[in-house]
Amino acid sequence: MDQLLKDAEKIKSLEIQGATNVALSAIDFLSNYAKRLKSGDIESCIDKLHKARDILINTRPTEPAMKNGLKYIMKKLQLQQPECNLEDIPERIELYKNEYHEMISKSKRKIAEIGARRIPKADKTFIVMTHCHSSLVTAILFEAKKQGKNFRVINTETQPRLQGRKTAKKLLEANIEVIHVVDSAMRWAIKHFQVDLILIGADSITSEGTVLNKIGSRLLALVAHEENIPFYVASPLLKYNPETNLGTLEKIEIRDPKEIWENPPKGIQILNPAFETIRRRYIDGLITEAGIFASSHVPNYFAKLYPEMVE
Amino acid sequence: MDQLLKDAEKIKSLEIQGATNVALSAIDFLSNYAKRLKSGDIESCIDKLHKARDILINTRPTEPAMKNGLKYIMKKLQLQQPECNLEDIPERIELYKNEYHEMISKSKRKIAEIGARRIPKADKTFIVMTHCHSSLVTAILFEAKKQGKNFRVINTETQPRLQGRKTAKKLLEANIEVIHVVDSAMRWAIKHFQVDLILIGADSITSEGTVLNKIGSRLLALVAHEENIPFYVASPLLKYNPETNLGTLEKIEIRDPKEIWENPPKGIQILNPAFETIRRRYIDGLITEAGIFASSHVPNYFAKLYPEMVE
Amino acid sequence: MDQLLKDAEKIKSLEIQGATNVALSAIDFLSNYAKRLKSGDIESCIDKLHKARDILINTRPTEPAMKNGLKYIMKKLQLQQPECNLEDIPERIELYKNEYHEMISKSKRKIAEIGARRIPKADKTFIVMTHCHSSLVTAILFEAKKQGKNFRVINTETQPRLQGRKTAKKLLEANIEVIHVVDSAMRWAIKHFQVDLILIGADSITSEGTVLNKIGSRLLALVAHEENIPFYVASPLLKYNPETNLGTLEKIEIRDPKEIWENPPKGIQILNPAFETIRRRYIDGLITEAGIFASSHVPNYFAKLYPEMVE
Amino acid sequence: MDQLLKDAEKIKSLEIQGATNVALSAIDFLSNYAKRLKSGDIESCIDKLHKARDILINTRPTEPAMKNGLKYIMKKLQLQQPECNLEDIPERIELYKNEYHEMISKSKRKIAEIGARRIPKADKTFIVMTHCHSSLVTAILFEAKKQGKNFRVINTETQPRLQGRKTAKKLLEANIEVIHVVDSAMRWAIKHFQVDLILIGADSITSEGTVLNKIGSRLLALVAHEENIPFYVASPLLKYNPETNLGTLEKIEIRDPKEIWENPPKGIQILNPAFETIRRRYIDGLITEAGIFASSHVPNYFAKLYPEMVE
Amino acid sequence: MDQLLKDAEKIKSLEIQGATNVALSAIDFLSNYAKRLKSGDIESCIDKLHKARDILINTRPTEPAMKNGLKYIMKKLQLQQPECNLEDIPERIELYKNEYHEMISKSKRKIAEIGARRIPKADKTFIVMTHCHSSLVTAILFEAKKQGKNFRVINTETQPRLQGRKTAKKLLEANIEVIHVVDSAMRWAIKHFQVDLILIGADSITSEGTVLNKIGSRLLALVAHEENIPFYVASPLLKYNPETNLGTLEKIEIRDPKEIWENPPKGIQILNPAFETIRRRYIDGLITEAGIFASSHVPNYFAKLYPEMVE
Amino acid sequence: MDQLLKDAEKIKSLEIQGATNVALSAIDFLSNYAKRLKSGDIESCIDKLHKARDILINTRPTEPAMKNGLKYIMKKLQLQQPECNLEDIPERIELYKNEYHEMISKSKRKIAEIGARRIPKADKTFIVMTHCHSSLVTAILFEAKKQGKNFRVINTETQPRLQGRKTAKKLLEANIEVIHVVDSAMRWAIKHFQVDLILIGADSITSEGTVLNKIGSRLLALVAHEENIPFYVASPLLKYNPETNLGTLEKIEIRDPKEIWENPPKGIQILNPAFETIRRRYIDGLITEAGIFASSHVPNYFAKLYPEMVE
């Protein structure tokens, strides 16, 4: 158990990053823990794994892909329980982890393909805007570029950790034109460049169709709303957090103030929220592996595609 | 003339900063130029000063306090023309400059006094939010603190030049409680702290009641509008730009991209707009030396208080 | 039949009140009617019960829980028809009534549990606002109190029948802090107390996700919208009115003017509408036994949970 | 002084009601006080009257017509000072009081005449809505009725003091058709009767064009805004509060909770705010003795018509 | 194949009009093509039919009823494939065409019946507004008229092809009162006649719930939104375009400029877009054969009712 | 008098068109009438002219430039009265008419100059949109073209009298690029071409800042508002209607239905409103000879520039 707690700490401390990475690592930690369970009957072992699962789940308030992955593993294990013996468990976890990984990969490819269709083939340069870094958003843009579409990307730097620079670099490597602005210039840029489409990723989605994403995303959604710019969120359905259906509130992670001001004056209070929520009314469509739809429909598609992960 | 051009360059290059400083320096440059005008009749001299005035006026697109000051000096000089001789001019300019400086100082004191009344005397802590640094906003807050009012200030860092840090330091020195956030957290902070009042400064005001201020201000105004938070701008009437009445468009200064990213990747385009415009519909009131009113009334109050500066 | 008409009258005249009460009484009336049906074949008996059902259904334009309950009973009876004989019917109705009652009770407990999660555990006092009296809303608040959550309730008196006083008393009995205002102060109170959440009940829900509730509810929803306050409706799915899907319009009950002014001056027209409708755009989420979701999804969840009641 | 304090108390305790009444009574109290000032030079006498004026002014936070009236009297007295002796003062106050009374009366007649033009001569019945009781609103409606215009009035009861009943009775006496609803039915009534015009009075107007009026007025303005119904405020310019221009905040009078619930349960907190504020954006026009215009222009018209009352 | 291309051209050139007509003609063309396929095995024949299907599908960017019909035919054929031989194919296509036709007819009757319920039985004349010509809208209005409902229709002329005149004539023939205005008077008419309900048809519906309809429809939706008028779209589910779920963008057909100006001056550019899109936020409800609901639910109902047409 | 009535009829029947033309013709009619007044004292003559003025004023509900012109003439005549004799009157009217004409011409030149500054000098083509025909709007665009500015104009045809075609021709003659669309495509065109500025004329302006202009203008203003496009009205101050300050409502002229449908089916009602009103909240600025400002300020500038025309 001690090792599991250490492993869990790695997730908690953000040593491991990126929704997919975190999900796969957590499953590995569960698998390793299973390996260390030397004796005992299968039932008590499953029981211990359940407790381990909950420890891992609680490391981060906002990582539904990890939570859904751990639930998927455990549900599959339980279905197998009668025919399963202790030694097989780590192997089985590995097997289910690969299945889960494949699910994520397939949905990413599908989303890139669907999302790229939203950028038209035209003479006039199409203007896309994004905020922060989302590997799904860049995947969509890479796909559109590969198809020879004519577009530019307006990109915000995303203080305090400047993930926008990562987005800029990735896009430039793919020969996509990038215009880079400070976060507070987002409205000015939308008007100045007459943005045609805004596209961001998601950290979590609730049963009401609310999206949780990097701080500044709700601000961008508000401007999109005022300026009547289509606002889309690209996300695998696995970012859906089924607990929200039962009333659980999403928690906003508050990060280290040092990220904002390293040597601040005495007495100041610095607050560094990592995310903010975007209500469904601001989101024109969610781009998922099940297609494009209003975000309030997420629970239905999730239940249809991933019945094993519904509670 | 050569020296005047050099002087003008100091304003252009932002070597001199702060609306009042810039205005007084420009008048000094005009005065020095007058001293260098050795001979000639009074009329041709006034004519030369007019040309010098225009050179100084054109150094910065957005410095109405300077423009209005130079116009004030010249108008006063012209009114004196018949009774005035060449040697007296520098002295007179000095005199009018002092008058102008006193006008600015008096209006600042008045605004601090009026603005402070907007923060209620109450047990419940009142939450004020500001963006960037405005000496008028801090003057209002100092005055309110002096009166023992109970309030806190939410403060944005204001990338890329971090003027928000200056605001934070000044307020902390006056023992005012400060909460500091990144710019993109402005909406989150408004909601989280249930902000009661937003208060910013102005760089320029147009005849329609549009305010030009630091990039991010319009974004903040939009959030204020959505959340129904009173949004006020503190500004002396001398920030009014009378040319806008004749259709002239305010220009947005685009600053050095290095301020945003020092060693950017090749091929990227970085845009660093210094200001953005806030339409009158987003501004609940303008706090000026003539009182608090809807921003569309600025031209009337300007004409009433400063008839010498109307064209 | 005469007795049934008398029984129906008791519902019509509002002698019986509260959605659950009305539903159970109507079923009792049907059961008593069945007992009085002495002879005849089973088919004609079912036929008569159907007619009786329709009489009961038509007593009140807005009581979907009663309508759905009567439909549930009749559908169950019909499914049993071949194996069923006349004498068993009252007993069976009793059985199904208990099933139906249990459904309602279970959904209430579930909703209380889910809804209570929306009130955070925090140091800062959370401000909830409600309007009129809903036993579901109070159940949620009781549950939250039991869990030690820190909140206060803003409560409107709800003219002309002052149901808000009932809410106030119930909450005070549970040691929940109550602030009581007149209906027209609802906007003032939302702003003054910086309400965090609005929570009301529902009398009926349509296929488009429109909620029918006590007069004043739509007004409150409008303020919530303007002030960006989360607005939730707690309701069992059994309040869904499936006929609206086929175009039937909800009728607004107009009640006795005496409730408003007992001795009004001659010639005046007094109108006393009991309800008003709230379009889905104003409702952030519906809190039901199937979870929390956008109100347009009600028909889907209803069909999934209660297939016996779909027409 | 003792008697003056007693007199002031009569205003404070709401023993005296109605803006004009209060204004005239306050002037009478000042006059009586002057009569009691037996000896002393004229200057010290004026000084004492000034102090008395301030005592009277401070009785009520929201009575600009009284404040403006007292200021008018004192300014007139001061202009006369050199030629004036002590004995004449009460007489002069009486004279100025009559002038002031005549100003109010004339402006009421003018407003009735202007306002009545807003109700068209047409076959189709025009629907006007009002809230609370305003003698100016009824004066407009009486004038329109006298001109044979075809209209009906939707009227809210205005809890907790039911001033709406007074409005209803007055209108019925003038043979104007009245439809009476509870306050919370205001939105329902606007939609149901397809209201053409909303018309209310004002208790005070600020330099920004904000109107203070009976609780529920802002709520009505919000519905008018949502439904795109013209929303007008009838008010003499003397309701303008010039202190607001200098930042002074309007105070909301909180009245006795007994008005709402006579025998409330223990532990409840009842709040009974008398007024609420309506921002200029919700007000289509102000109907004053100087014409109809956007409410932000009030200070200009006030200064033009009543230069003696500008500070 | 040559003949098929000629046939396809008839659809492309708009020689054939009306969604149902186009769908049935396209199926006929497919059937005729099948008849001309003389020899070959069944598999290669199906293959050829698939290609023919795609040629027909691509004639018009916005005809989902045709696309869905052709898909329906082919899917049915494929399901039959093993038991089917070449000669039977035309006959089978005829059979499925009749099935498809019957589906369309049944859904029209159902929609007329559901939609008519939205027009209340009342003394007060109900005001319905429509734009362009939709046979579904007129069917609803005919049904309401047949039921003796009391209503009038506001009708726009719908430049440049004046389909509004067709609507006017059809309604007048059914003795329905019609008020006819130019397109640009739509807002004026809504306000002047206090429209109660807006009802239009649809050319296509996307997976996000966006409706594509005649140019001017979005404009009308915007006015409806501003004036808070219920805005409904009547459409069979077969107008749903399943490709939009995969990201495909709806194309706006640009028609001949001669329709707008026959002999325009040289150098002018005339643009004649046939349709525009209405986002779901502007649509209160969709009236379909499956009932009335929020337009974002179209894909779910389509999949439920027409599983054969889901890709 | 008979001849005057005939002359008045020419204005009424729209035989004379264009605000300036109508104003000058009306003055001519007054002058001719004066010539026909053979004898009598000067006072009775002025009296008759006043009556004639009123007859002319009442020919058209919406022609403030004519009304203001006639008032100007009569006021000037009255000021001259003591020194004036009967024979001089026609000559004097001619003189004042020329003054008035010069006022109009000068204000047009000023507006063209001011308005043209709103179109920036830039590489990127600026997109202006207009509706109907306004000689002021074309004057602004001609001036901008003369200054070499880079812009295109989106132009609506303006049914039923197609004044948009006149605008198109005039602009093409000045080598300005024109894109022409039907009225109902206005929203589509704004979005498709990313319009930068909307510019229309005015038929009348009220004391509240409401503008009356061609039917469709309010619709365009609504789209501008939704899409956040600057919306400006170019108008001489002489279009201000001072009677609106006293409550007079603007009347909407309803024109011949034949303009819309020459041979309509029996029983149809065709309504052809010529104008609609745009509230000040939709108008960013008014471009007048006194500068650019919020439209609520019109009465102040009118009084300042044309004191002779204030009642």
Side-chain angles (χ1 to χ4, degrees), chain E residues 56-191:
Chain E
L56 290 163
I57 276 180
N58 290 323
T59 49
R60 287 261 192 100
T62 326
E63 281 292 348
M66 172 185 70
K67 291 181 194 183
N68 287 325
L70 290 167
K71 281 178 193 170
Y72 178 76
I73 304 298
M74 290 308 296
K75 204 144 201 187
K76 283 283 204 152
L77 272 184
Q78 276 172 295
L79 291 173
Q80 296 292 339
Q81 207 178 326
E83 327 161 17
C84 146
N85 53 56
L86 201 50
E87 298 81 58
D88 300 351
I89 285 183
E91 197 184 330
R92 287 200 165 276
I93 293 183
E94 193 62 21
L95 181 73
Y96 303 147
K97 179 185 126 181
N98 289 341
E99 279 177 29
Y100 190 67
H101 195 177
E102 185 50 25
M103 272 182 202
I104 293 179
S105 304
K106 260 177 64 183
S107 65
K108 280 198 177 178
R109 286 192 300 273
K110 194 76 190 288
I111 290 167
E113 190 191 309
I114 294 176
R117 286 200 191 95
R118 289 276 138 166
I119 298 176
K121 248 199 168 109
D123 289 341
K124 204 186 150 205
T125 306
F126 191 80
I127 314 293
V128 182
M129 185 165 184
T130 192
H131 177 64
C132 198
H133 180 73
S134 149
S135 64
L136 264 182
V137 168
T138 51
I140 288 172
L141 298 173
F142 294 163
E143 179 62 30
K145 185 71 188 175
K146 229 169 59 191
Q147 295 171 12
K149 284 167 176 178
N150 175 13
F151 65 100
R152 294 206 281 174
V153 178
I154 314 295
N155 185 47
T156 53
E157 58 173 4
T158 320
Q159 290 283 348
R161 301 207 0 142
L162 296 164
Q163 290 98 327
R165 292 193 177 179
K166 188 175 171 187
T167 301
K169 284 172 189 164
K170 295 249 172 199
L171 295 176
L172 289 165
E173 281 165 20
N175 286 318
I176 294 168
E177 226 182 303
V178 175
I179 293 162
H180 194 77
V181 295
V182 293
D183 301 317
S184 70
M186 55 172 76
R187 195 203 69 88
W188 179 87
I190 280 176
K191 207 73 187 159

Side-chain angles (χ1 to χ4, degrees), chain D residues 1 64 88 129 159 172 179 182 187 193 200 208 247 249 273 287-288 311:
Chain D
M1 203 53 147
D88 299 349
M129 185 165 185
Q159 290 284 347
L172 287 165
I179 293 160
V182 293
R187 197 203 68 89
F193 293 104
I200 62 164
E208 298 167 29
L249 289 161
I287 307 178
T288 74
E311 273 164 292

Side-chain angles (χ1 to χ4, degrees), chain E residues 218-275:
Chain E
R218 173 54 163 68
L219 203 55
L220 190 58
L222 181 60
V223 181
H225 197 75
E226 194 202 19
E227 301 285 340
N228 234 338
I229 312 293
F231 186 92
Y232 285 83
V233 175
S235 172
L237 288 170
L238 295 163
K239 292 285 179 81
Y240 171 53
N241 178 356
E243 289 165 29
T244 56
N245 191 44
L246 303 175
T248 303
L249 290 160
E250 292 284 13
K251 269 181 213 93
I252 300 293
E253 188 185 338
I254 303 293
R255 297 172 57 85
D256 190 345
K258 294 284 173 205
E259 289 182 4
I260 294 179
W261 198 341
E262 229 176 311
N263 298 300
K266 262 192 199 162
I268 201 170
Q269 187 186 352
I270 297 172
L271 263 173
N272 185 10
F275 305 114

Side-chain angles (χ1 to χ4, degrees), chain C residues 159 165 172 178-180 184 187-188 193 216 218-219 222-223 226 260-261 265 269-271 273 276 282, chain D residues 159 165 172 178-180 184 187-188 193 215-216 218-219 222-223 226 260-261 265 269-271 273 282:
Chain C
Q159 290 283 347
R165 292 193 178 178
L172 288 165
V178 175
I179 293 161
H180 194 77
S184 71
R187 196 203 68 86
W188 179 87
F193 293 103
R218 173 56 162 68
L219 204 55
L222 181 59
V223 181
E226 194 203 18
I260 293 179
W261 197 343
Q269 188 187 349
I270 297 172
L271 263 172
E276 63 182 343
Y282 292 112
Chain D
Q159 290 284 347
R165 291 194 179 178
L172 287 165
V178 176
I179 293 160
H180 193 78
S184 71
R187 197 203 68 89
W188 179 87
F193 293 104
I215 193 80
R218 173 56 163 68
L219 202 55
L222 181 59
V223 181
E226 194 203 19
I260 294 178
W261 197 343
Q269 188 186 351
I270 297 172
L271 263 173
Y282 291 112

Side-chain angles (χ1 to χ4, degrees), chain B residues 140-154:
Chain B
I140 288 172
L141 298 173
F142 293 163
E143 177 63 30
K145 186 69 188 175
K146 229 169 59 189
Q147 294 172 11
K149 283 168 177 179
N150 176 12
F151 65 100
R152 292 208 280 175
V153 179
I154 313 296

Side-chain angles (χ1 to χ4, degrees), chain A residues 116-122 144-151:
Chain A
R117 286 201 191 95
R118 287 277 138 166
I119 298 175
K121 249 197 166 110
K145 185 71 187 176
K146 228 171 60 191
Q147 295 171 12
K149 284 168 175 178
N150 175 13
F151 65 100

Side-chain angles (χ1 to χ4, degrees), chain A residues 133-143 167 170-171 176:
Chain A
H133 181 73
S134 149
S135 64
L136 264 182
V137 168
T138 49
I140 287 172
L141 297 173
F142 294 163
E143 178 63 30
T167 302
K170 294 249 173 199
L171 294 176
I176 294 169

Side-chain angles (χ1 to χ4, degrees), chain F residues 180-218:
Chain F
H180 193 77
V181 295
V182 292
D183 301 318
S184 71
M186 57 172 73
R187 196 203 67 89
W188 180 87
I190 280 175
K191 206 75 187 156
H192 187 77
F193 293 104
Q194 299 183 309
V195 165
D196 293 298
L197 179 74
I198 296 176
L199 192 57
I200 62 164
D203 284 278
S204 179
I205 307 172
T206 78
S207 66
E208 297 167 28
T210 293
V211 163
L212 194 85
N213 197 48
K214 172 61 53 191
I215 192 79
S217 299
R218 173 55 163 67

